[in-house]
Amino acid sequence: MEKSGRIRKGVSGKMKNESFNKIASGLRTYISFSRGKYSSIMLLFIVFTLLPLFIPSDLLASEDKDVLVLNSDASIYKYSLAQSELKAKIATPKGEIDLGSKWIDERKIKKMINEIDPCVIYCIGSKAYQMAYKLAEKKNIVFSLVINWRRHPIDKDTYGISNELLQGAQLMMYRYFFPDVNKIGILYNNKYSEEWFDIAVESAKDVGIRIVGKSISKPDKIESALKKLLPKVDALWLIPDPTVIYDIESVNKLFEQCQAAGKPIYTYDKAFVNLGATLIMSADIPTMIKQSAEIISGIQGNMEIEEKVQHPAGSHIILNMKKVEEYGLNLNIEALDSVNEIVR
Amino acid sequence: MSILKYNKSEVKKVYRKYQPLIAFCLLACVLLIIPNKTFSGNTYTIYFYNPETNINNFASLKTEFDQYLSNYGSFQFQPFSDRKSFEEFVVGRSDGVFLLSSWHFSQLKRKFQLDMQARLVGVLKGKATYKKILTAKNNIINIDSLKGKVVASSGSEDYTKKILMQMHGEENKDIVGSMKILTVPKDIDALMAVGYGMADSALTTERSLTKLAAINPKQYGFLMSLSKSEEILLPIIAAPAQSDEKIRLLIAIIEEMGTALDGKRKLKMLGVDGWKKVEELERVSLGK
């Protein structure tokens, strides 16, 4: 009896305890609410649950709009300049890959692309573009400093800034610098540059210049073609045609031939200064990067990019005064405010 | 005697030990005693910065101007690519003159209460002023159509927006604010950018537009002028109010540059073809 009585007592005590606990817990909850302890937690819960509904989706999405930079070779000055200029224009890229090292582990690069899952892959140079195109499926790619971009495969997610200045823009500057130059010769291969050449001929008419062209099929035809072309023109426009710019030896010979004929060469790359080019006009890298940054920000902001591959808007001009004096060219000194570098 | 002898040899020992240190201290004392001017005063400098044009041919400018100035003594040319560095550098400087835009000069004087005076102003085709002009493809008929559009300019973004604001007033603040400024190296690039579709509009000098009309009349025909600025003074040469003999000589050399072909060629790189003394009215417009 005693035992059962104790048990009974125990059961009823437990029951009493449970009901007491319930009442106490209810009271605590009531007191906590009334003191504002739970109400602030509830408020925070509601705010964090509902807040995203009121924030524009663009703002929330921007966190996921990372940029990955792929550089063909950061040890090359113009490529490293492009990278630093871009970093000054956009928020810090999520990743930067330099393909300049001799051995490239494609699997590692692909893994990095997958991990970062960037909104845009920004490619500096042809090698970087080819790599991104190969490894990053369905990603937005923005390229710059890609030589002859038309020779590369592109798809609907490809954007970029062409590395080549428009023919019309170059011809305008030739006319501005050397008002007496009326006939300019171009050596090219129909296979690679026919369309480019036709545009140049049309654009030249707008600035009162006549283009005289000579198409060659092989690099060994350069010498004989120049013999026929040079007497008919005031200057030669050396373009990035792979048959004409075949190797160092053929380019050297071309410069020697023009020098002997007293004909100045206008061209597109600083590398030709030492060979004796008179005027070099190339796309201005900082301007190209500003244009690229604008495209990147357009993609990040889900804006429509009207022109997927844009022409460079700025020019960089190198004038070789030694050659101007040697050939006795009539230089428009007003144009000197447009020169970026003078070679003496 | 023996103590004296011992002391002498000890002194010699100590002297030998500390000889390099003593020599260093003596040299340091001599350097401190000689006034700074004896060293810095040897070379006087033209300090250059201009936000009106995106001049980035600094290496060539320096070479060309250094070469020209060296004919007249120990003078040199020092261009700056960054506005902040230039401003920090010029404050309190008295070892040269400053080649800067008139707009920037007025700002600097106000900001730092500089005791500087404008001495010479650039001249181009006989005029000491120029106008900025906003042009666009002829399908854009007014500034309202340029909301959010790209404006190409050879000036810095800050400068371009300020000029656009001055040209269009408070009532168009939102439109100007929404414009995207594409900074290009030269005015002719800005005009070509509109012609070839890389920009919707260009802010350039009136003279650059005239140049375009002469080089490519067809492209010029596609452009339409939307607005013009007031007359703006060309770049100026400013010097500390209390100038010494060497600064006066440097100013005289600069003033004469436009009279010789070689000097004129160098000045063309800066977009002027000579200098003239600042007149009272011009001084007033610069804020004295």
Side-chain angles (χ1 to χ4, degrees), chain A residues 166 168-169 172-173 175-176 206-207 284 287 290-291 294 303 307 311-315 317 321 325 333-334 336-342 344, chain B residues 54 56-57 60 64 67 125 180 182-186 188-189 192-193 196-198 207 211-212 215-219 264-266 268-269 271:
Chain A
L166 278 164
M172 265 176 71
M173 292 313 263
R175 159 60 73 231
Y176 182 38
D206 296 342
V207 292
D284 180 60
T287 311
K290 274 174 219 150
Q291 292 177 271
E294 197 56 46
M303 284 153 75
E307 206 163 345
H311 295 289
S315 59
I317 295 173
M321 283 304 282
E325 282 156 17
I333 67 161
E334 299 292 322
L336 284 172
D337 64 354
S338 299
V339 179
N340 297 86
E341 287 178 58
I342 288 184
R344 282 193 185 274
Chain B
N54 187 16
N56 56 4
N57 51 348
S60 290
E64 296 290 319
Q67 185 203 29
K125 306 275 172 212
K180 294 171 194 160
L182 174 64
T183 312
V184 292
K186 0 183 191 298
I188 200 87
D189 286 329
M192 285 197 286
Y196 292 116
M198 285 85 85
R207 198 178 136 262
K211 266 189 218 172
L212 179 75
I215 309 168
N216 193 338
K218 189 177 167 186
Q219 203 167 88
K264 202 170 182 170
R265 275 189 174 178
K266 319 275 183 211
K268 282 286 176 195
M269 292 173 76

Side-chain angles (χ1 to χ4, degrees), chain B residues 26-237:
Chain B
L26 279 172
L27 183 68
C29 289
V30 169
L31 286 175
L32 284 171
I33 292 161
I34 296 173
N36 255 353
K37 271 196 164 180
T38 312
F39 292 101
S40 62
N42 279 341
T43 304
Y44 272 47
T45 308
I46 302 175
Y47 298 104
F48 168 71
Y49 174 72
N50 191 352
E52 279 175 26
T53 54
N54 187 16
I55 292 175
N56 56 4
N57 51 348
F58 298 127
S60 290
L61 269 176
K62 179 151 179 62
T63 314
E64 296 290 319
F65 274 79
D66 280 357
Q67 185 203 29
Y68 184 85
L69 294 169
S70 66
N71 296 326
Y72 300 91
S74 47
F75 300 107
Q76 64 172 1
F77 187 83
Q78 184 56 60
F80 283 77
S81 61
D82 173 57
R83 180 175 171 172
K84 203 174 160 222
S85 314
F86 176 77
E87 290 183 351
E88 281 168 4
F89 198 82
V90 299
V91 177
R93 207 101 204 154
S94 59
D95 60 348
V97 298
F98 310 97
L99 170 47
L100 71 175
S101 76
S102 51
W103 169 80
H104 192 198
F105 172 77
S106 306
Q107 267 201 345
L108 265 181
K109 271 203 94 167
R110 272 199 308 271
K111 193 172 166 188
F112 298 105
Q113 303 290 309
L114 293 181
D115 195 15
M116 247 195 323
Q117 275 182 354
R119 303 291 177 88
L120 303 174
V121 59
V123 176
L124 186 59
K125 306 275 172 212
K127 269 186 83 181
T129 57
Y130 69 98
K131 278 184 183 176
K132 284 275 186 185
I133 191 159
L134 184 69
T135 46
K137 272 263 165 96
N138 53 16
N139 58 344
I140 293 177
I141 49 164
N142 57 38
I143 188 177
D144 298 344
S145 321
L146 286 177
K147 194 169 186 179
K149 299 283 183 185
V150 178
V151 178
S153 165
S154 64
S156 68
E157 187 170 345
D158 180 33
Y159 173 78
T160 304
K161 287 226 165 163
K162 281 203 166 100
I163 290 287
L164 285 169
M165 273 301 293
Q166 280 172 17
M167 286 165 72
H168 301 101
E170 276 293 311
E171 63 272 26
N172 289 306
K173 195 179 165 187
D174 289 346
I175 295 171
V176 172
S178 74
M179 290 173 179
K180 294 171 194 160
I181 309 299
L182 174 64
T183 312
V184 292
K186 0 183 191 298
D187 265 11
I188 200 87
D189 286 329
L191 291 168
M192 285 197 286
V194 180
Y196 292 116
M198 285 85 85
D200 302 291
S201 170
L203 182 72
T204 64
T205 61
E206 205 173 15
R207 198 178 136 262
S208 301
L209 204 61
T210 316
K211 266 189 218 172
L212 179 75
I215 309 168
N216 193 338
K218 189 177 167 186
Q219 203 167 88
Y220 174 77
F222 291 133
L223 298 178
M224 179 162 173
S225 295
L226 297 179
S227 49
K228 257 184 206 177
S229 75
E230 297 289 314
E231 293 283 352
I232 303 167
L233 272 180
L234 280 163
I236 59 153
I237 294 284

Side-chain angles (χ1 to χ4, degrees), chain A residues 26-260:
Chain A
L27 270 172
R28 267 202 303 272
T29 310
Y30 173 76
I31 293 163
S32 296
F33 264 113
S34 61
R35 283 181 183 168
K37 190 177 167 187
Y38 279 6
S39 55
S40 58
I41 292 167
M42 281 296 283
L43 190 67
L44 281 174
F45 175 75
I46 293 164
V47 165
F48 279 105
T49 316
L50 297 178
L51 188 67
L53 298 175
F54 300 102
I55 297 176
S57 56
D58 282 6
L59 277 177
L60 288 175
S62 67
E63 281 177 15
D64 302 315
K65 300 201 163 173
D66 294 319
V67 177
L68 172 70
V69 178
L70 218 56
N71 195 328
S72 293
D73 189 347
S75 68
I76 294 172
Y77 173 70
K78 60 181 178 181
Y79 290 166
S80 68
L81 173 69
Q83 190 159 343
S84 56
E85 288 278 335
L86 185 87
K87 281 162 76 179
K89 301 272 174 302
I90 61 163
T92 315
K94 190 83 175 173
E96 294 170 65
I97 302 174
D98 178 14
L99 303 177
S101 54
K102 279 178 188 165
W103 190 73
I104 297 164
D105 187 344
E106 285 190 7
R107 273 191 308 177
K108 259 189 182 174
I109 294 168
K110 185 158 188 168
K111 195 179 162 208
M112 196 168 167
I113 294 172
N114 289 339
E115 275 172 11
I116 294 172
D117 191 23
C119 165
V120 178
I121 301 178
Y122 177 62
C123 304
I124 303 168
S126 306
K127 194 173 164 185
Y129 176 71
Q130 282 166 347
M131 185 67 75
Y133 187 84
K134 187 177 168 187
L135 302 178
E137 290 156 6
K138 291 176 184 169
K139 289 265 174 252
N140 293 305
I141 299 175
V142 177
F143 68 77
S144 64
L145 294 163
V146 170
I147 299 164
N148 284 341
W149 67 270
R150 284 185 184 83
R151 291 201 291 169
H152 296 281
I154 60 161
D155 61 28
K156 65 177 183 57
D157 301 317
T158 304
Y159 305 84
I161 306 297
S162 158
N163 201 38
E164 290 84 31
L165 289 165
L166 278 164
Q167 296 92 317
Q170 294 181 71
L171 285 157
M172 265 176 71
M173 292 313 263
Y174 298 157
R175 159 60 73 231
Y176 182 38
F177 273 80
F178 302 109
D180 293 348
V181 169
N182 296 314
K183 283 177 276 173
I184 297 178
I186 299 177
L187 214 54
Y188 67 104
N189 184 341
N190 253 334
K191 194 175 147 191
Y192 302 113
S193 312
E194 189 181 13
E195 195 187 337
W196 186 98
F197 176 79
D198 290 342
I199 296 170
V201 171
E202 278 308 302
S203 307
K205 288 176 190 166
D206 296 342
V207 292
I209 289 176
R210 194 160 77 86
I211 298 284
V212 183
K214 186 86 192 148
S215 177
I216 52 165
S217 54
K218 290 176 190 166
D220 59 13
K221 305 273 184 202
I222 294 174
E223 196 180 344
S224 58
L226 273 182
K227 262 186 195 162
K228 287 177 193 159
L229 182 65
L230 289 178
K232 298 178 193 164
V233 296
D234 303 317
L236 182 81
W237 185 358
L238 183 61
I239 65 165
D241 183 292
T243 309
V244 182
I245 311 289
Y246 181 70
D247 58 16
I248 294 171
E249 200 187 334
S250 62
V251 172
N252 271 332
K253 274 188 186 166
L254 181 145
F255 271 88
E256 281 166 16
Q257 231 178 312
C258 287
Q259 163 90 14

